[in-house]
Amino acid sequence: MIPASFEYHRPGSLQEALQLLQTYGGEASVLAGGHSLLPSMKLRLARPGRIIDIGRLAELNYIREEGNAIAIGALTTHHEIATWDLVVNELPFLAEAAAAIGDVQVRNKGTIGGSLAHADPAADYPAAVLAGNAEIVVQGAGGSRKIAAADFFVDLFTTSLQPGELITEIRFPKLSGKTGSAYLKFPHPASRFAVVGCAAVVTVDGGTIQEARVALTGVASTAYRAKAVEDALKGQSTDPATVEQAVEKATEGVDVMSDHFASSEYRAHLARVYARRALLKAIERA
Amino acid sequence: MAKLIGESVKRVEDLRFITGRGQYTDDLVLPNMTYASIVRSPYAHARIKSVDTSRAQAAPGVVAVFTGKDIADSGVSGVPCGWQVNFKNGDTMKEPPHPILAVDKVRYVGDAVAVVIAETRQQAKDAAELVEVDYEVLDAVVDVRKAIQPGAPVVHEEAPNNICFDWELGDKAKTDAAFQQAAHVTRLELVNQRLIPNAIEPRSAIGDYNPATDKYTLYTSSQNPHVIRLLMCAFVLGIPEHKVRVVSPDVGGGFGSKIFHYIEEALVTWCAGRLGRPVKWTAERSESFMTDAHGRDHYTVAEMAFDQDGKITGLRVNTLANLGAYLSTFAPAIPTYLYGTLLQGLYTTPAIHVDVTAVFTNTTPVDAYRGAGRPEATYLLERLVETAARELGVDPAELRKKNFIPPFDGVNQPGYQTQVALQYDSGNYHGVLEKLLEVADYQGLRKQQEELRKQGRYLGIGFSTYIEACGIAPSAVVGALGARAGLYEAAQVRVQPTGKVTVYVGSHAHGQGHETTFAQIVADRLGLNLEDVEVIHGDTESVPFGMGTYGSRSLAVGGSAIARSLDKILEKGRKIAAHLLEAAEEDLEFEDGKWTVRGTDRSISFGEVALAAYVPHNYPEGLEPGLEFTAFYDPANFTFPFGAHLAVVEVDPETGKVKLLKYVAVDDVGNVINPMIVDGQVHGGLAQGIGQALLEGAVYDESGQLISGTFMDYALPRADDLPEFVVDRQVTPCPHNPLGVKGAGETGTIGSTPAVVNAVVDALSPFGVRDLQMPLTPERVWRAIQQAKTA
């Protein structure tokens, strides 16, 4: 597998990376962990003229508590997110999503910023940032801005990142005491991407669901919040029958994908099953 | 001296493999080497209107660009087929040419159209994109059932209705009569899906030509370098054989896919001759998916007839076998002589008839893949028996026992003559099944299944009892069946003056551990240490001859050739020893590495005798100096390993996902030289067979595009898909070879596929599911449950 030729740049700082991005624009692709870009370059589906390798920018690799939020640097690896105590304790659904990605090698190299920017419709993080109400912090020549997860995913492999912008950080609000969460995934046996993945974050008070956030990945051209399910659960009891009924709406209004491994009918079925299982697990943990 | 045969000696090859010191074809860098990139068809079926190479010729670093026309103009033929099967009416099979580079038409996605040779791999690949081929796209056909319909696209004009040949075996009238009188008939429609071999090392070949000696060297990742030399010299390039050396250095797996003579081997050799520079081609992984010969791909309707007592009275099989776009080297033999001849299975079935139609389609050529024909035969037999047990309401193990061929050792009792040409060598089929039931705790599993069902959990238990023919094969027999080669093996044992031994074997190793197993045989027999023996293979310049490695033949045939060479070494050594000990030859006995005059303490070591052979100062009169012998061993029969396997699965009825919980294999592969290596072979084989049952399958769309062309789409089994295997053995020696061995390379693959599918069907039987097609993807399983629920 031999990619087309390209020029290689390795900036020493975020500022330098933004500068390079400014200079070369559409000709350049940003390389973080390389687990999405390199395979498509080897198949010559992607042929960037230049690679800007930000993979070693230590300033973008961190996980820290900032008041009521947990801030994760864009170059934090899946393995770090899956095993970091703060994430495991405060954002279990996120740790579970990270742990469910690929295999050991992928988790040790791949980064959260790279995965989100790539916006693969079957990636795991998109469901987690949606259900977690995260903000994606991006930086361009003109400075920094925050994009709500709900506004980030536009279409297949397309985000609201503007040319010249890099993801620098992902910020998750901490979950309240009465909130449980879970990420469950039905992996494709070959790619291990999600045929269906579901992140659920549920706040429960006295057996009543105060708020439920349910996000599904792998089902449609982008990950999405299953609002109809969420609405059906709000103010309802946590009993399994209620959940079972609510998840019937898991793919309402969604154009469900189909491929040779899973038809749209089967995928929609799995979406309901995984929404239910993730919700019940989140409720159990609340 | 410790006995080495039967010991789990650590593999001597592992140090170099584990430390990255293996030397694979792609590791070799020759002075002044160039790199080839092949322009391949993106269409499954198209006419080539024109090929414009001008932009590629002008690209940086390009040395040459050749098209199919260039090769045809030089008078070079296509790659040959090594096995001829005749139509039922006696006509020879349709054998359309398989040109090295396509000239008029391309017939599958990946068919080679042109080659670009450049100074670097990158330049070759970049320039290959500049070759402009003008195609007229034609309708394609990928499914065998559609390919034989009137009006289907025609792959080769020479083969009307895309039929390469039709073929039958067995007694049709007797079988039809058995079905007429049957008390019960079980019928299944089975798809044995197409598999992609995926050896870890992609195919690679380097052609080299020395104009000063007029000699060619081909380095190639092949399972049988001598056969490649023979085919390429005699049938393709027309170069005399003594002017060609073929080297297969370390090879990273083959599973059959590296048996065959591929166009790339002839291509790089031809190009090297043209350019006077070495030319290297290494497949990209996508090329491996598209162009390594695929395996299986049968559509079969199979029926089994039973009498009132549950005895099998007849077997009737109709198969459409997909050969792909061209005839690969051994393609015709796989769905015929390696398939139909195995339909006796372990059962006393008195009437069998099999009808096979071999069909061309616009897909990658199909040939031997681990098991090759025998997994297809075993799959249909074992699915039928287990389905019948369910229909007849009897335990599947009991139904098998009722129909098993009684034990025979092939010495005191004769071999078992089947209804389908073969004579089994020795067997104790009840033995392996009884042992399996005990090791697996079958009764306990059934109880557990019953309890879990009450909780709404779906555990399934499935069996497979198999036999296979390997150690191929007696040359006269396979010659009569259409093989265009003999299937003996050669080995040379060369004793060095110091008593160390070099063994040159025709059996090539690419993961099997021959360097260890063969050294164990030699060291054990000569009373040496393992490290005193070196095994050399894979080079036509040093190894006398070889028919290569496939069909689990290396130990049974190649190992036997070594044993025969050792006989000759010891016979001559005895003469020298008798002379030096001043004793009669018949008074000597050889044990622990020395000849001793019986009843005395006078002895002489093997090393001393070896030295005398090379420094023959005090030496038997008239005896030639030196101590080395070559033996060619042609086996008297195939060998017939067998076994009984059991799989336990749990199905999540909500998603259709199957989890394999337990797998127990009790195999009988005859005598065992290195149990650890045999266990490893069984483990790998099981993984592949389970992969076919649950995960793997090549998928083409209607237009002939390979949809499952990457590891993102084609699911190979991984460690976390598999349980820890329980592997056990019974030993029934092979009566007709000097080592008593049968072969263990394919048993796991052959036995496991039906066991897993039977287990899943068993798990779903409470829903009324009767049959499932492989691979058992979650959606297929889920749909079967939905359909059964609504039925």
Side-chain angles (χ1 to χ4, degrees):
Chain A
M1 308 306 285
I2 304 157
S5 305
F6 55 87
E7 290 294 321
Y8 176 80
H9 303 273
R10 196 166 81 209
S13 68
L14 175 61
Q15 279 316 313
E16 196 189 329
L18 291 168
Q19 200 80 52
L20 286 165
L21 211 48
Q22 183 88 354
T23 310
Y24 296 114
E27 195 195 339
S29 281
V30 178
L31 178 74
H35 276 68
S36 300
L37 180 61
L38 295 185
S40 58
M41 285 172 65
K42 286 180 175 181
L43 288 165
R44 297 199 169 201
L45 297 171
R47 297 166 177 256
R50 289 170 193 276
I51 291 290
I52 301 173
D53 180 1
I54 61 167
R56 300 191 203 183
L57 293 181
E59 62 192 284
L60 293 183
N61 183 354
Y62 56 83
I63 299 175
R64 52 188 180 231
E65 206 166 356
E66 293 182 0
N68 239 351
I70 291 169
I72 299 174
L75 293 180
T76 310
T77 65
H78 312 326
H79 173 74
E80 286 161 342
I81 292 170
T83 54
W84 207 270
D85 282 349
L86 191 61
V87 180
V88 172
N89 295 330
E90 299 288 342
L91 307 168
F93 67 104
L94 178 63
E96 286 171 353
I101 298 171
D103 54 27
V104 174
Q105 290 95 319
V106 171
R107 291 195 291 276
N108 277 324
K109 289 298 286 180
T111 67
I112 186 167
S115 171
L116 290 173
H118 186 61
D120 190 303
D124 298 290
Y125 285 131
V129 297
L130 285 168
N133 256 349
E135 288 175 318
I136 321 283
V137 185
V138 306
Q139 205 163 328
S144 167
R145 66 182 179 116
K146 287 177 185 167
I147 307 171
D151 300 326
F152 187 73
F153 303 104
V154 175
D155 204 345
L156 213 63
F157 301 107
T158 310
T159 69
S160 53
L161 266 178
Q162 294 302 306
E165 283 183 333
L166 280 176
I167 299 176
T168 56
E169 186 178 278
I170 298 90
R171 297 179 70 83
F172 284 88
K174 282 195 202 164
L175 307 184
S176 77
K178 290 172 179 171
T179 303
S181 74
Y183 180 79
L184 288 179
K185 167 186 188 178
F186 189 91
H188 187 284
S191 69
R192 303 281 166 117
F193 272 85
V195 177
V196 165
C198 180
V201 177
V202 186
T203 307
V204 179
D205 194 6
T208 302
I209 295 171
Q210 301 293 309
E211 189 196 8
R213 297 197 300 266
V214 182
L216 285 152
T217 188
V219 179
S221 58
T222 72
Y224 66 95
R225 286 266 294 271
K227 296 279 192 193
V229 178
E230 296 178 359
D231 292 345
L233 288 170
K234 199 175 168 79
Q236 301 297 312
S237 97
T238 55
D239 73 83
T242 309
V243 175
E244 174 109 41
Q245 206 175 350
V247 299
E248 283 302 311
K249 299 175 175 173
T251 60
E252 200 175 279
V254 169
D255 192 5
V256 179
M257 293 195 293
S258 177
D259 58 33
H260 79 78
F261 181 75
S263 68
S264 55
E265 184 192 357
Y266 176 63
R267 200 176 238 109
H269 166 72
L270 284 182
R272 293 188 285 273
V273 171
Y274 273 74
R276 190 193 74 226
R277 290 180 181 181
L279 277 163
L280 290 176
K281 192 159 209 175
I283 288 167
E284 184 191 311
R285 287 170 172 176
Chain B
M1 196 65 55
K3 288 294 281 183
L4 286 164
I5 288 181
E7 291 300 311
S8 287
V9 174
K10 277 190 187 164
R11 291 173 19 127
V12 299
E13 24 311 65
D14 284 346
L15 182 62
R16 80 173 188 277
F17 291 141
I18 290 169
T19 58
R21 298 293 179 108
Q23 280 282 309
Y24 299 89
T25 300
D26 192 58
D27 291 326
L28 303 175
V29 177
L30 305 184
N32 214 19
M33 191 159 79
T34 62
Y35 297 84
S37 181
I38 295 172
V39 179
R40 297 187 182 277
S41 171
Y43 302 110
H45 199 193
R47 226 175 287 286
I48 300 172
K49 290 162 75 180
S50 65
V51 184
D52 181 354
T53 63
S54 55
R55 284 178 67 212
Q57 300 266 14
V62 170
V63 176
V65 183
F66 298 112
T67 65
K69 189 173 179 307
D70 296 322
I71 292 187
D73 288 350
S74 74
V76 163
S77 318
V79 289
C81 181
W83 201 297
Q84 181 184 314
V85 172
N86 293 339
F87 276 87
K88 288 185 206 166
N89 68 8
D91 290 354
T92 55
M93 66 182 185
K94 302 296 180 187
E95 199 173 352
H98 182 184
I100 293 172
L101 296 175
V103 182
D104 303 321
K105 221 172 126 175
V106 287
R107 294 180 171 86
Y108 71 100
V109 172
D111 209 350
V113 177
V115 61
V116 175
I117 295 151
E119 298 291 345
T120 70
R121 185 171 284 182
Q122 178 85 37
Q123 287 170 331
K125 171 87 178 170
D126 288 345
E129 291 186 327
L130 302 175
V131 173
E132 286 164 23
V133 185
D134 190 7
Y135 294 103
E136 178 196 339
V137 179
L138 306 171
D139 286 341
V141 65
V142 299
D143 184 298
V144 279
R145 280 164 284 182
K146 290 181 183 160
I148 56 170
Q149 298 302 321
V154 175
V155 182
H156 296 278
E157 298 300 331
E158 301 90 322
N161 299 316
N162 294 313
I163 292 171
C164 178
F165 59 82
D166 58 21
W167 177 88
E168 66 182 331
L169 185 64
D171 189 331
K172 186 168 189 326
K174 194 173 157 193
T175 306
D176 287 344
F179 275 85
Q180 269 170 11
Q181 292 154 19
H184 179 83
V185 172
T186 293
R187 181 181 184 278
L188 284 173
E189 218 175 303
L190 300 161
V191 176
N192 205 300
Q193 83 274 28
R194 175 182 288 244
L195 302 176
I196 302 179
N198 283 311
I200 195 167
E201 179 211 12
R203 286 190 295 115
S204 180
I206 307 171
D208 190 20
Y209 174 66
N210 184 341
T213 55
D214 193 28
K215 280 192 78 171
Y216 291 85
T217 304
L218 168 68
Y219 301 88
T220 177
S221 57
S222 174
Q223 298 177 213
N224 50 350
H226 284 86
V227 174
I228 300 305
R229 183 180 64 166
L230 176 67
L231 294 174
M232 187 173 78
C233 290
F235 297 98
V236 186
L237 298 180
I239 307 169
E241 216 172 343
H242 65 294
K243 289 293 187 187
V244 177
R245 174 187 177 196
V246 177
V247 183
S248 293
D250 285 329
V251 172
F255 313 120
S257 71
K258 293 175 183 169
I259 299 172
F260 323 117
H261 180 33
Y262 284 94
I263 59 122
E264 291 87 356
E265 293 166 324
L267 181 64
V268 294
T269 308
W270 183 88
C271 290
R274 274 297 175 100
L275 301 174
R277 291 179 68 179
V279 179
K280 179 193 272 186
W281 169 82
T282 299
E284 299 185 53
R285 183 55 71 179
S286 305
E287 287 181 290
S288 302
F289 272 98
M290 285 189 293
T291 70
D292 290 0
H294 293 175
R296 320 276 191 261
D297 208 342
H298 285 195
Y299 169 76
T300 294
V301 175
E303 299 164 284
M304 197 174 254
F306 292 83
D307 69 11
Q308 297 286 1
D309 303 323
K311 288 282 278 184
I312 304 169
T313 54
L315 176 73
R316 197 156 55 189
V317 177
N318 257 285
T319 293
L320 292 175
N322 195 339
L323 298 180
Y326 299 100
L327 278 177
S328 177
T329 313
F330 291 118
I334 312 306
T336 52
Y337 295 106
L338 291 176
Y339 168 67
T341 52
L342 268 300
L343 290 172
Q344 186 83 49
L346 300 177
Y347 310 113
T348 53
T349 314
I352 299 172
H353 184 256
V354 52
D355 194 307
V356 177
T357 304
V359 182
F360 290 114
T361 59
N362 293 114
T363 58
T364 300
V366 177
D367 206 324
Y369 170 68
R370 202 171 189 174
R374 292 152 290 167
E376 296 91 316
T378 304
Y379 183 68
L380 76 85
L381 282 172
E382 294 306 292
R383 289 294 319 284
L384 281 172
V385 169
E386 200 125 328
T387 307
R390 201 165 293 116
E391 290 170 349
L392 296 169
V394 298
D395 183 276
E398 293 307 315
L399 185 62
R400 284 179 170 89
K401 284 187 214 166
K402 180 177 275 184
N403 285 286
F404 274 166
I405 296 161
F408 60 104
D409 63 11
V411 181
N412 300 308
Q413 302 96 7
Y416 183 83
Q417 181 58 50
T418 71
Q419 300 294 319
V420 275
L422 297 177
Q423 191 185 56
Y424 293 166
D425 55 352
S426 58
N428 176 3
Y429 311 134
H430 288 85
V432 282
L433 181 56
E434 293 294 355
K435 190 164 186 177
L436 176 78
L437 296 175
E438 189 191 316
V439 173
D441 182 21
Y442 178 55
Q443 293 311 324
L445 286 171
R446 284 290 180 206
K447 268 192 208 117
Q448 195 191 349
Q449 179 181 42
E450 206 181 309
E451 280 158 24
L452 287 174
R453 274 185 186 164
K454 286 178 199 152
Q455 302 166 28
R457 288 177 60 186
Y458 296 88
L459 202 73
I461 301 162
F463 287 96
S464 159
T465 53
Y466 70 90
I467 187 162
E468 63 144 326
C470 63
I472 55 175
S475 297
V477 173
V478 294
L481 302 180
R484 290 165 172 170
L487 285 172
Y488 49 84
E489 196 48 86
Q492 181 180 46
V493 175
R494 179 178 297 169
V495 181
Q496 311 289 355
T498 54
K500 311 294 184 193
V501 178
T502 312
V503 190
Y504 300 87
V505 291
S507 310
H508 185 276
H510 34 276
Q512 296 86 346
H514 291 172
E515 292 166 38
T516 307
T517 303
F518 288 163
Q520 282 178 259
I521 295 169
V522 174
D524 191 278
R525 190 81 188 281
L526 299 181
L528 303 173
N529 293 315
L530 195 69
E531 51 271 26
D532 294 333
V533 182
E534 188 74 14
V535 175
I536 308 287
H537 61 88
D539 187 343
T540 61
E541 207 88 304
S542 58
V543 174
F545 203 72
M547 295 310 297
T549 292
Y550 38 84
S552 303
R553 67 192 301 272
S554 292
L555 190 56
V557 190
S560 294
I562 294 172
R564 287 286 165 81
S565 297
L566 292 170
D567 290 344
K568 297 185 192 183
I569 294 281
L570 287 172
E571 193 186 319
K572 184 170 179 181
R574 175 184 294 268
K575 285 190 170 59
I576 301 168
H579 175 85
L580 293 173
L581 290 168
E582 297 176 345
E585 277 181 54
E586 52 274 21
D587 291 340
L588 299 188
E589 54 188 18
F590 185 75
E591 207 180 333
D592 290 342
K594 58 180 191 282
W595 282 273
T596 304
V597 182
R598 202 171 284 114
T600 75
D601 59 358
R602 286 197 298 134
S603 67
I604 188 165
S605 72
F606 181 77
E608 290 172 282
V609 167
L611 186 64
Y614 287 93
V615 188
H617 296 165
N618 178 14
Y619 202 65
E621 206 179 314
L623 192 67
E624 280 180 22
L627 194 54
E628 68 170 62
F629 283 100
T630 299
F632 281 67
Y633 177 79
D634 203 333
N637 190 1
F638 295 83
T639 61
F640 296 91
F642 55 91
H645 289 193
L646 178 141
V648 183
V649 301
E650 184 171 1
V651 179
D652 176 350
E654 209 174 28
T655 62
K657 191 162 170 56
V658 175
K659 178 137 183 77
L660 181 59
L661 300 177
K662 183 172 184 165
Y663 199 94
V664 187
V666 177
D667 299 300
D668 190 328
V669 297
N671 289 337
V672 170
I673 308 292
N674 186 320
M676 179 192 70
I677 288 179
V678 170
D679 286 351
Q681 287 274 12
V682 172
H683 282 211
L686 293 178
Q688 272 173 304
I690 293 164
Q692 172 167 25
L694 297 179
L695 297 164
E696 298 187 42
V699 180
Y700 285 94
D701 71 10
E702 289 279 306
S703 73
Q705 292 295 329
L706 181 62
I707 303 298
S708 57
T710 75
F711 286 128
M712 294 288 276
D713 306 293
Y714 188 91
L716 287 179
R718 302 183 205 186
D720 62 355
D721 293 314
L722 303 167
E724 189 168 332
F725 299 132
V726 178
V727 171
D728 211 322
R729 261 188 292 280
Q730 169 185 282
V731 175
T732 306
C734 173
H736 64 73
N737 67 45
L739 298 168
V741 298
K742 293 195 170 191
E746 297 162 293
T747 58
T749 320
I750 293 165
S752 56
T753 309
V756 174
V757 177
N758 282 336
V760 177
V761 175
D762 182 55
L764 301 183
S765 59
F767 294 105
V769 172
R770 177 179 182 269
D771 188 20
L772 288 162
Q773 297 296 358
M774 299 187 293
L776 307 182
T777 60
E779 177 161 3
R780 281 191 178 158
V781 173
W782 176 74
R783 282 192 183 280
I785 296 169
Q786 302 312 306
Q787 274 161 17
K789 274 180 177 171
T790 56

